[in-house]
Amino acid sequence: GQSLEQPSEVTAVEGAIVQINCTYQTSGFYGLSWYQQHDGGAPTFLSYNGLDGLEETGRFSSFLSRSDSYGYLLLQELQMKDSASYFCAVRDQSNQGGKLIFGQGTELSVKP
Amino acid sequence: DAGVTQSPTHLIKTRGQHVTLRCSPISGHKSVSWYQQVLGQGPQFIFQYYEKEERGRGNFPDRFSARQFPNYSSELNVNALLLGDSALYLCASSLAPSEELFFGEGSRLTVL
């Protein structure tokens, strides 16, 4: 089967750093993406890792280890507006297309 | 520039009815994907179209169908609605099938 595991919820305070982990088990692998979704609105693309290592985009960083089937999203200098659901998603190469397999999502609550 | 637009934003149907959801991609994007998101879960892949051809289909019954028009807009049709079809239906567009997805705000379907 194909599955992605991530914590269901995380709580942190403003200004802190939080890490959201994701482990995956898929028949094909063509990169790990992260999306943010506020209150059931449109998921917004945050980051993509096609190769092992760290990708940094402002306050957000994402890491991938293909040998461990593991990645994480790191959010620094947390702000109240970062409270949202965060999804990791794997592109299933076997489909030769844009099919993304999403995790269940991690609900991040940022407290003052 | 307009993002991905979906209509209707909300709708209520009864069991056994039929529904058509519409999606207009970002200008220049030729690929459209449909996802179903049940409350508390990650989006699940339904269909992907590219240049009016079906490029992928998820694990959904034949009651679900879709098509893409010459202007790259798309429709998702669901027949014989079931209570379990209640969900947020997300449309995403991309330049090509393996490129970054841009999601719309979704159509929230409630089946009574």
Side-chain angles (χ1 to χ4, degrees):
Chain A
Q2 306 194 89
S3 66
L4 285 83
E5 297 290 331
Q6 52 181 128
S8 58
E9 53 185 41
V10 173
T11 301
V13 296
E14 262 187 309
I17 300 173
V18 72
Q19 178 174 313
I20 299 174
N21 298 320
C22 174
T23 57
Y24 59 87
Q25 201 169 22
T26 56
S27 57
F29 181 79
Y30 197 59
L32 182 69
S33 300
W34 289 91
Y35 284 81
Q36 179 193 61
Q37 186 178 37
H38 282 100
D39 294 330
T44 304
F45 173 81
L46 291 176
S47 186
Y48 171 78
N49 294 75
L51 301 174
D52 291 353
L54 190 68
E55 293 286 338
E56 296 179 85
T57 310
R59 295 188 296 115
F60 295 173
S61 303
S62 58
F63 171 83
L64 174 65
S65 169
R66 287 174 296 172
S67 61
D68 295 322
S69 298
Y70 163 77
Y72 67 71
L73 178 70
L74 191 73
L75 297 85
Q76 303 182 63
E77 301 172 19
L78 281 174
Q79 302 174 10
M80 296 295 289
K81 67 178 182 179
D82 297 328
S83 292
S85 292
Y86 292 83
F87 296 90
C88 58
V90 166
R91 188 175 299 282
D92 183 349
Q93 187 177 20
S94 65
N95 197 44
Q96 295 187 5
K99 173 185 176 182
L100 284 180
I101 303 167
F102 283 83
Q104 298 276 54
T106 298
E107 187 172 347
L108 171 64
S109 297
V110 180
K111 306 294 185 185
Chain B
D1 286 342
V4 176
T5 57
Q6 294 187 241
S7 64
T9 55
H10 296 80
L11 69 166
I12 300 173
K13 294 284 188 178
T14 57
R15 281 178 295 177
Q17 285 190 310
H18 160 270
V19 68
T20 297
L21 307 177
R22 296 177 176 82
C23 172
S24 293
I26 292 172
S27 177
H29 285 194
K30 298 181 179 181
S31 180
V32 169
S33 301
W34 287 94
Y35 287 79
Q36 180 196 64
Q37 186 176 24
V38 174
L39 194 63
Q41 297 184 20
Q44 272 201 292
F45 174 77
I46 311 175
F47 284 110
Q48 184 187 54
Y49 278 79
Y50 178 63
E51 293 279 18
K52 297 164 295 220
E53 298 286 330
E54 182 181 301
R55 276 297 193 94
R57 183 186 183 110
N59 189 24
F60 280 81
D62 292 343
R63 299 184 295 108
F64 289 76
S65 63
R67 55 180 175 169
Q68 186 176 33
F69 299 99
N71 66 353
Y72 303 110
S73 67
S74 179
E75 277 183 359
L76 175 70
N77 294 283
V78 187
N79 292 323
L81 285 168
L82 303 174
L83 296 179
D85 295 331
S86 296
L88 180 67
Y89 288 85
L90 294 163
C91 174
S93 75
S94 57
L95 286 168
S98 297
E99 297 293 320
E100 173 190 339
L101 295 181
F102 293 82
F103 283 87
E105 295 285 341
S107 293
R108 187 165 296 282
L109 170 65
T110 301
V111 182
L112 301 177

